[in-house]
């Protein structure tokens, strides 16, 4: 494990969190936040401005920052895990149809029920259905389960995208369609403290489990027979790890909608920087993904007066990053 | 001890069986060469002994226990597998690859200093400690094979099971690797390997199994089993062709 790389990323992330705290519509400095929040916690009588600051910080800014960190980590770590599981550095959470399934679920929630909590629940169930369909296809062709699962993911993605299009077509263009489209673009503007309260513990548990399984993931990334010869019940371990990665990104969809690319590019770039050993790579992608999404989210909520969809910015930034990492990787190959 | 009892095995129900009534017993400390023409079932036999195949119950035993009743972790502590030379997708460092051999002994968290020591000792044993920090995918075929052997040694199993360990290597590397394997055997490790070259089996000594059409044609000390008539019969060669081939040495 490369402790230096982890430490550098940890310091960078901590510094970035402090730097972005004062950024936003409501002008406030770090020291003011510190004074108000510590005063609030110690039960001191607060002035009106201090009460406003506490409200902005605890109800709006902190949840949003935490959501950015969690979603970034979840997408990146599950991306890294999928890449090792399928022995293919070019797959991402999208590959199993998780994001497509989740977006379809969201469409059901928005169009059929017009209810925000139901939308979240359906998107989560949709993510699970997306994986379920991929796994179903892999069972149809047991001879090459890994390949069949990838093809199953493709089928599952396009199936759920088609379903989503039906809902877009049926949606009320004045009210529902914008909301649906906005969700599909990916945004953190809806993440709230209540959402975090029930989503965050599960996500953290999943991320911790994946990170602690790094050695098993390493062995599984060498192929079926070798993993078995190294003492791993490969089928069961693979299922458990893929399942956990899927759970973690389905939960991220509840917080942020569909954010593509992060799960592909962040692990890919960090693998170039810290190497493929998952004992270092997984904590590094967790921190790197969190850092990346925090920076991009701060960008979208501060540059324009109107909120800009996060998913668009991540795609715009990730595309050249990905091209560069591919080129760099190709050049380094023996 | 590895024991195979009257093993019939086909990859699919309607396909003809690859192994047809195979029985054998390998004691600890033995060196066993498995020879035979392409498609005779050498690799299938190795995979059956490693528990990779759904063999019928009561046909393969490891240390007296039916192979499918053993957990992978326990199996990995007895049998270590050296696959044929392969690429892999992720460019792990040599030390990281060798450390993977310790996964079964401590599946969670990081590796202990003991794990690190064992990995380095394994690298030393095959004399490639200098490669520890190098990226695995940038090594030559012979070096990669040594790394995989080191990983198997780090796993600490009694048996080293190798699938054509020297195929794909150049002439010099073949003999370098065979020498390493012979040294390991002399240190008391049990070695089971498949090979395409009868002379390499003679070089390694020990015992040879001649396999054809999924059946055992001969089983005994390499020097006794590997004779000109036996090799002719095994590979469908006429005595003249074999004589010609053997004359073409330098």
């Amino acid at each position: 494990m490369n402790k230096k790389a982890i430490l550098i990323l940890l310091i960078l992330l901590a510094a970035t969190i402090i730097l972005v705290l004062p950024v936003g519509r409501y002008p406030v400095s770090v020291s003011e936040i510190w004074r108000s929040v510590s005063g609030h916690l110690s039960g001191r009588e607060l002035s009106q401005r201090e009460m406003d600051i506490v409200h902005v910080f605890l109800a709006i800014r902190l949840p949003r920052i935490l959501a950015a960190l969690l979603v970034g980590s979840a997408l990146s770590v599950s991306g890294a895990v999928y890449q090792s599981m399928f022995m293919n550095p070019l797959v991402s959470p999208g590959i199993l149809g998780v994001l497509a399934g989740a977006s379809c679920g969201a469409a059901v929630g928005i169009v059929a029920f017009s209810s925000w909590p139901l939308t979240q629940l359906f998107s989560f169930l949709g993510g699970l259905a997306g994986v379920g369909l991929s796994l179903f296809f892999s069972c149809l062709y047991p001879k090459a389960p890994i390949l069949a699962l990838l093809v199953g993911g493709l089928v599952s993605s396009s199936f759920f995208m088609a379903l989503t299009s039906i809902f877009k077509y049926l949606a009320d263009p004045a009210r529902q369609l914008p909301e649906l489209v906005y969700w599909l673009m990916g945004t953190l503007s809806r993440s709230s403290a209540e959402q975090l309260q029930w989503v965050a513990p599960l996500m953290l548990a999943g991320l911790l489990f994946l990170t602690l399984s790094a050695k098993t993931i390493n062995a599984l990334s060498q192929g079926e027979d070798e993993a078995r010869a190294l003492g791993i019940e490969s089928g069961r371990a693979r299922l458990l790890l893929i399942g956990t990665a899927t759970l973690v990104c389905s939960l991220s969809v509840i917080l942020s909608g569909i954010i593509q690319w992060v799960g592909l590019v962040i692990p890919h770039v960090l693998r170039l920087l810290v190497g493929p050993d998952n004992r270092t790579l997984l904590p590094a992608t967790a921190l790197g993904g969190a850092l990346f999404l925090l920076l991009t989210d701060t960008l979208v909520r501060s540059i324009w007066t109107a909120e800009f969809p996060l998913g668009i910015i991540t795609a715009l930034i990730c595309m050249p990053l990905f091209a560069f990492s591919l080129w760099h990787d190709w050049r380094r190959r023996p | 001890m590895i024991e195979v009892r009257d093993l019939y095995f086909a990859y699919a129900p309607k396909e003809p069986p690859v192994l047809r009534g195979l029985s054998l017993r390998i004691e600890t400390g033995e060196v066993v060469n498995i020879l035979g023409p392409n498609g005779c079932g050498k690799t299938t036999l190795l995979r059956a002994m490693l528990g990779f195949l759904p063999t019928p119950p009561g046909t393969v035993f490891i240390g007296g226990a039916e192979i499918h009743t053993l957990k992978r972790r326990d199996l990995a502590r007895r049998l270590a597998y050296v696959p044929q030379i392969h690429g892999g997708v992720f460019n792990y460092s040599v030390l990281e690859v060798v450390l993977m051999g310790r996964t079964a002994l401590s599946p969670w968290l990081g590796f202990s200093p003991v794990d690190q020591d064992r990995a380095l000792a394994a690298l030393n044993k095959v004399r490639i400690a200098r490669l520890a920090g190098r990226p695995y995918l940038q090594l030559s075929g012979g070096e990669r094979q040594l790394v995989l052997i080191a990983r198997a040694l780090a796993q600490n199993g009694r048996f080293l099971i190798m699938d054509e360990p020297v195929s794909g290597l150049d002439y010099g590397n073949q003999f370098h690797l065979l020498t390493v394997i012979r040294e390991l055997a002399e240190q008391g490790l049990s070695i089971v390997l498949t090979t395409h070259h009868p002379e390499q089996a003679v070089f390694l000594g020990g015992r040879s199994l001649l396999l054809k059409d999924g059946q055992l044609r001969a089983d005994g000390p390499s020097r006794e089993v590997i004779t000109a008539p036996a090799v002719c019969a095994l590979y469908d060669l006429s005595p003249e062709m074999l004589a010609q081939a053997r004359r073409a040495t330098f």
Side-chain angles (χ1 to χ4, degrees):
Chain A
M1 187 170 159
N2 186 345
K3 291 196 178 100
K4 215 169 85 186
I6 305 292
L7 198 68
I8 291 173
L9 278 166
L10 209 58
I11 292 169
L12 266 177
L13 186 60
T16 311
I17 292 172
I18 294 171
L19 277 177
V20 304
L21 275 180
V23 177
R25 282 286 85 76
Y26 189 88
V28 59
S29 73
V30 178
S31 56
E32 269 184 297
I33 294 176
W34 173 249
R35 239 179 300 119
S36 316
V37 174
S38 60
H40 173 70
L41 291 178
S42 64
R44 177 167 61 84
E45 191 87 4
L46 297 180
S47 67
Q48 185 56 43
R49 169 151 171 91
E50 281 179 325
M51 264 152 53
D52 287 349
I53 290 173
V54 165
H55 176 75
V56 166
F57 181 74
L58 289 184
I60 299 166
R61 219 161 271 180
L62 192 63
R64 179 137 189 186
I65 288 173
L66 289 178
L69 299 177
L70 262 181
V71 170
S73 292
L75 291 173
S76 310
V77 169
S78 50
V81 171
Y82 288 140
Q83 291 175 1
S84 286
M85 288 299 98
F86 299 122
M87 286 173 277
N88 183 346
L90 301 178
V91 303
S92 72
I95 198 86
L96 274 174
V98 185
L99 299 184
S103 66
C104 180
V108 174
I110 290 173
V111 176
F113 299 97
S114 296
S115 138
W116 197 236
L118 271 178
T119 303
Q120 295 172 348
L121 180 68
F122 274 99
S123 74
F124 174 49
L125 293 178
L128 291 180
V131 199
L133 191 61
S134 312
L135 285 173
F136 169 72
F137 270 87
S138 81
C139 294
L140 287 183
Y141 194 69
K143 230 177 184 176
I146 288 175
L147 191 69
L149 190 58
L150 290 179
V151 175
L154 270 175
V155 175
S156 165
S157 287
S158 42
F159 173 72
F160 282 107
M161 275 178 203
L163 282 187
T164 311
S165 297
I166 297 177
F167 283 103
K168 276 190 197 169
Y169 184 73
L170 293 175
D172 171 2
R175 212 163 35 82
Q176 294 169 327
L177 190 60
E179 201 173 348
L180 183 55
V181 170
Y182 198 55
W183 164 284
L184 291 177
M185 287 176 192
T187 177
L188 284 165
S189 62
R190 285 191 178 89
S191 47
S192 65
E194 302 95 88
Q195 271 182 347
L196 273 172
Q197 268 168 15
W198 71 275
V199 171
L202 255 180
M203 280 175 95
L204 283 173
L207 287 171
L208 194 68
F209 172 74
L210 292 174
T211 313
L212 290 181
S213 309
K215 288 201 292 190
T216 308
I217 296 172
N218 277 351
L220 284 166
S221 78
Q222 294 297 90
E224 205 70 14
D225 280 356
E226 278 182 60
R228 284 194 277 179
L230 292 171
I232 288 159
E233 309 278 353
S234 61
R236 208 172 60 193
R238 230 179 258 278
L239 210 65
L240 191 63
L241 289 164
I242 291 172
T244 309
T246 305
L247 178 76
V248 165
C249 28
S250 288
L251 291 174
S252 88
V253 170
I254 292 179
L255 286 176
S256 69
I258 316 301
I259 295 176
Q260 300 270 17
W261 284 96
V262 175
L264 175 66
V265 173
I266 297 297
H268 203 71
V269 169
L270 278 163
R271 193 175 286 114
L272 290 181
L273 294 176
V274 304
D277 187 346
N278 285 293
R279 287 178 297 143
T280 306
L281 181 64
L282 292 181
T285 43
L287 295 169
L291 181 63
F292 176 78
L293 216 62
L294 182 60
L295 284 172
T296 41
D297 186 51
T298 308
L299 205 67
V300 299
R301 71 184 168 87
S302 59
I303 285 190
W304 292 274
T305 41
E307 175 96 26
F308 201 73
L310 178 59
I312 296 174
I313 294 291
T314 59
L316 289 180
I317 295 176
C318 283
M319 197 86 96
L321 257 179
F322 188 55
F324 173 77
S325 68
L326 277 185
W327 171 75
H328 189 270
D329 198 27
W330 171 80
R331 210 187 43 169
R332 247 184 12 164
R333 288 268 151 174
Chain B
M1 184 204 41
I2 302 175
E3 196 181 358
V4 176
R5 285 186 206 156
D6 196 28
L7 172 62
Y8 282 82
F9 182 79
Y11 281 98
K14 280 178 189 164
E15 277 174 28
V18 185
L19 301 177
R20 301 189 299 163
L22 218 63
S23 294
L24 56 98
R25 217 180 134 95
I26 300 173
E27 302 292 338
T28 33
E30 275 194 293
V31 175
V32 178
N33 304 280
I34 303 174
L35 288 129
N38 286 329
C40 71
K42 295 190 297 288
T43 301
T44 305
L45 176 59
L46 281 197
R47 288 167 56 81
M49 289 200 254
L50 285 158
F52 292 170
L53 300 175
T55 45
T59 52
V60 183
F61 297 83
I62 306 295
E66 215 285 327
I67 195 160
H68 295 302
T69 64
L70 290 168
K71 286 194 177 130
R72 288 265 164 229
R73 273 180 74 172
D74 300 328
L75 214 49
R77 288 176 196 172
R78 298 173 200 201
L79 312 175
Y81 170 56
V82 179
Q84 280 189 36
I85 296 172
H86 69 333
V89 180
F90 301 109
N91 207 353
Y92 291 103
S93 79
V94 166
L95 187 62
E96 283 160 5
V97 172
V98 176
L99 275 170
M100 285 179 199
R102 306 292 296 172
T103 310
L105 295 124
S106 57
W108 293 96
L109 290 168
F111 291 106
S112 68
V114 177
D115 293 328
Q116 304 269 356
D117 287 350
R118 285 294 172 88
L120 286 172
L123 281 169
N124 268 319
K125 216 166 189 175
V126 294
R127 291 194 290 273
I128 51 165
R130 73 204 139 79
L131 298 179
R134 289 269 299 278
Y136 173 75
L137 292 183
Q138 275 152 29
L139 302 181
S140 72
E143 289 169 332
R144 279 190 205 180
Q145 203 64 9
L146 286 171
V147 173
L148 293 180
I149 291 177
R151 185 181 71 184
L153 292 176
Q155 203 172 324
N156 224 8
R158 280 282 179 72
F159 285 87
L160 218 57
I161 298 186
M162 307 196 219
D163 194 6
E164 296 179 17
V166 302
S167 70
L169 298 186
D170 68 51
Y171 192 73
N173 266 320
Q174 289 195 0
F175 276 95
H176 180 59
L177 200 68
L178 286 170
T179 312
V180 169
I181 294 173
R182 196 160 71 170
E183 280 171 16
L184 294 174
E186 280 160 7
Q187 290 163 20
L189 208 66
S190 322
I191 290 170
V192 182
L193 58 86
T194 58
T195 175
H196 279 302
H197 302 280
E199 61 271 26
Q200 290 179 355
V202 175
F203 177 84
L204 282 179
R207 174 177 159 199
S208 285
L209 308 176
L210 306 191
L211 205 62
K212 194 175 185 182
D213 300 328
Q215 288 175 321
L216 214 52
R217 293 295 162 92
D219 177 359
S222 299
R223 284 182 189 284
E224 291 171 24
V225 167
I226 298 173
T227 59
V231 170
C232 281
L234 192 64
Y235 295 103
D236 291 325
L237 286 172
S238 67
E240 294 76 31
M241 283 166 81
L242 183 68
Q244 258 181 16
R246 297 182 80 185
R247 241 180 282 129
T249 50
F250 45 86

